[in-house]
Amino acid sequence: MINLQTQLEASWRKVLMTEFKNFCHLTNFINAETKTIYPPKKFIFNAFSLCHFSQVKVVIIGQDPYHGEGQANGLSFAVNDGVKIPPSLRNIFKELHADLDIDIPISGNLERWAKQGVLLLNSILTVQANEAASHRNKGWEQFTDAVIKQISEQREKIVFLLWGNYAHQKGKFIDLNKHYVLKSAHPSPLSARNFLGNKHFSKTNQYLKDCGKIPIDW
């Protein structure tokens, strides 16, 4: 049994106090789930643990976690060391190489991004094993909407990278007068031709520099 409210990192608990009414429902749902879920319960809020509220500089929004064994680690698009890099992340790395001439990483572990202020936020934070989108419409979407709203309202000059139509829909919660929003197609192989070449990594770092912030060492 887990208590999601107490599992969430303290700085995020403070700004999401108004969402606590939803935690009871989500906690009950997760604890009642009889099938294997990913990521492991202790990593459901990994993105928040590695990137505290005051540290956020960039937000990358994914959909739901990978549903294969050993893949999901609580960070959008990421996998742990030693896990085969999924196609979407491989295309992200291709764009990173083309944009900033950075060698394509051999690991899909993105903790190094998170620790620099990149919130790797999935819209849905859990999934049943081998069942994509199986935890859709269970309450996670409202929770992550609230996360984006609070970042938009309480922070300034944050970069939001919205890749794909699903992420684009989250853009309605972002104040465009305060933040920098970059949109493109999703890095999935199905739409990668419209993702590659977006230069979002260099654009992000230029904006951060212009705002007097330290750029991300991608």
Side-chain angles (χ1 to χ4, degrees):
M1 300 287 287
I2 64 167
N3 185 320
L4 292 178
Q5 179 175 324
T6 59
Q7 190 170 322
L8 186 62
E9 189 276 327
S11 69
W12 289 100
R13 281 205 307 272
K14 182 177 181 180
V15 301
L16 293 168
M17 286 180 64
T18 57
E19 289 302 302
F20 281 174
K21 62 182 182 296
N22 294 328
F23 272 106
C24 181
H25 167 74
L26 284 167
T27 294
N28 291 339
F29 167 69
I30 294 299
N31 285 323
E33 178 61 86
T34 58
K35 296 184 179 180
T36 299
I37 66 169
Y38 298 129
K41 291 178 181 179
K42 64 181 179 179
F43 292 124
I44 290 174
F45 290 131
N46 199 25
F48 303 91
S49 298
L50 293 172
C51 183
H52 298 179
F53 183 73
S54 64
Q55 297 170 334
V56 176
K57 294 191 286 189
V58 181
V59 181
I60 299 178
I61 300 174
Q63 297 186 26
D64 62 337
Y66 298 121
H67 54 81
E69 183 178 0
Q71 288 184 302
N73 63 8
L75 305 178
S76 62
F77 294 105
V79 292
N80 288 327
D81 293 329
V83 177
K84 183 180 179 181
I85 297 175
S88 291
L89 182 55
R90 192 159 56 242
N91 285 327
I92 291 170
F93 286 163
K94 285 180 181 179
E95 175 56 25
L96 183 60
H97 174 68
D99 188 10
L100 293 174
D101 197 28
I102 292 174
D103 290 341
I104 293 178
I106 60 173
S107 171
N109 188 335
L110 302 181
E111 285 188 9
R112 64 190 183 279
W113 293 5
K115 291 176 180 178
Q116 295 178 75
V118 181
L119 181 66
L120 294 158
L121 178 68
N122 276 320
S123 299
I124 301 166
L125 299 189
T126 56
V127 67
Q128 278 183 7
N130 306 313
E131 294 288 342
S134 50
H135 285 180
R136 182 176 291 173
N137 299 324
K138 302 298 184 181
W140 284 126
E141 294 91 341
Q142 290 76 19
F143 173 76
T144 53
D145 286 351
V147 170
I148 296 167
K149 289 177 187 175
Q150 290 301 319
I151 295 171
S152 179
E153 291 174 6
Q154 297 194 39
R155 300 292 311 283
E156 293 186 357
K157 296 180 172 61
I158 304 298
V159 183
F160 290 85
L161 303 183
L162 308 183
W163 298 336
N165 291 332
Y166 193 91
H168 293 176
Q169 295 172 18
K170 295 286 192 180
K172 63 187 177 184
F173 302 115
I174 303 167
D175 185 343
L176 299 180
N177 294 315
K178 294 174 60 181
H179 306 289
Y180 186 40
V181 176
L182 293 170
K183 296 182 180 181
S184 78
H186 194 276
S188 161
L190 297 175
S191 54
R193 66 185 181 278
N194 295 317
F195 170 83
L196 297 172
N198 64 26
K199 297 188 180 300
H200 281 188
F201 298 104
S202 59
K203 291 177 180 177
T204 293
N205 277 357
Q206 187 59 56
Y207 178 81
L208 293 175
K209 289 178 184 176
D210 291 344
C211 294
K213 298 182 180 182
I214 298 172
I216 305 300
D217 180 7
W218 301 103

